[in-house]
Amino acid sequence: MTNTLFAWTPTAGSLPVDNNGNKARLICTWRGRTMLAGLPNDPFNWFGSRVKDPFNWNYAEAFGAVADPLTAVSGQESRAGKVPDTVTTMIDYNDDVLIFGCDHTIWQLKGDPYDGGRMYQLSNSIGMAWGMPWCRDPVNTIYFMSNLGGIYALVPDQKPLRISQQIEQLLEPVNLDKVIVRMEWDDVAQGLHVYLTHFAAAQPESRG
C-alpha cells in the first residue's frame, strides 16, 4: 500500500470505451475480475478484466491455441452475451452470481462467463435506479431502489419483492433523473437507510 493515486493504465489491451470515447461509469469486483459497464453508447455491454489483474484487458487471450478461462471478458465476446437492456447497476452477489440492474429489467449472470456461465432474467418489468442504489443485509438479501422509485428485496433465482408500501407517500415525489440514490443496512436498527443526493450537490457522478 502506497496511499498514492495514479492513472489506471492497462498493461495489456485497453479499458473499454464506446464509439465516442466515453469510459465506463459503473464498477465492481466479481470472481476476482474488475467489472465495468455503463458506456453511454454501448449500454447493454459489460466488461471484466483478467482474473486478479485489473490491468489486463486483452480479450484475445481467450481465443488462443489453449483456452484460458481467466482471461479478460466482455458481453460481446462471451457466450453469456450482452444484457438485453441498459445496465444501470451491478451487484456482486457472490462468486457465482453477478446481478445486473437495468433500466426496466433485472438479470443475473450465473457462473463464469468463459466456463458455461449464462444470463437469466429475474424480472421483465422492474429495473433499478442508476449507480449503486442498493445494499445487503447480514443474510445477503439485496435491497434496492427500483427504476420507478419503489424499494424491493431480492435474492438470486427469485422475483423481486416490493417492501415499501408503508412509505409510498415519501417516495412518490422522488425524481430519479435528478438524484443519486444510496442505501445502507443498519444492523442495530434492523432496517434500511435511503439517501437521496441531488446531482447539483454531487457533480462527479451523473447519468450522462
Side-chain angles (χ1 to χ4, degrees), residues 12-98:
S14 58
L15 292 172
V17 295
D18 64 19
N19 55 14
N20 281 339
N22 297 304
K23 296 179 181 179
R25 299 168 296 163
L26 301 170
I27 187 170
C28 72
T29 300
W30 180 62
R31 295 181 71 96
R33 302 181 191 273
T34 298
M35 303 295 298
L36 297 173
L39 295 179
N41 291 335
D42 195 4
F44 300 170
N45 214 348
W46 52 269
F47 309 84
S49 70
R50 183 176 177 83
V51 173
K52 297 183 179 179
D53 187 355
F55 298 97
N56 186 323
W57 296 85
N58 184 7
Y59 311 111
E61 291 179 354
F63 306 104
V66 178
D68 183 357
L70 303 181
T71 192
V73 63
S74 72
Q76 182 172 314
E77 304 289 348
S78 76
R79 292 182 179 178
K82 295 182 180 182
V83 185
D85 190 7
T86 297
V87 179
T88 57
T89 188
M90 294 185 292
I91 303 174
D92 50 320
Y93 185 80
N94 58 29
D95 282 347
D96 194 48
V97 174
L98 177 67

Side-chain angles (χ1 to χ4, degrees), residues 91-94 96-100 106-110 120-123 128 134-144 152-163:
I91 303 174
D92 50 320
Y93 185 80
N94 58 29
D96 194 48
V97 174
L98 177 67
I99 296 174
F100 291 96
I106 301 173
W107 299 78
Q108 68 176 19
L109 175 57
K110 195 168 187 179
Y120 299 88
Q121 189 178 76
L122 297 181
S123 172
M128 295 190 187
W134 60 272
C135 65
R136 71 179 85 209
D137 67 16
V139 297
N140 224 12
T141 298
I142 299 295
Y143 302 93
F144 68 90
Y152 289 76
L154 176 68
V155 295
D157 301 318
Q158 296 184 24
K159 299 290 185 181
L161 175 66
R162 193 179 186 106
I163 61 171

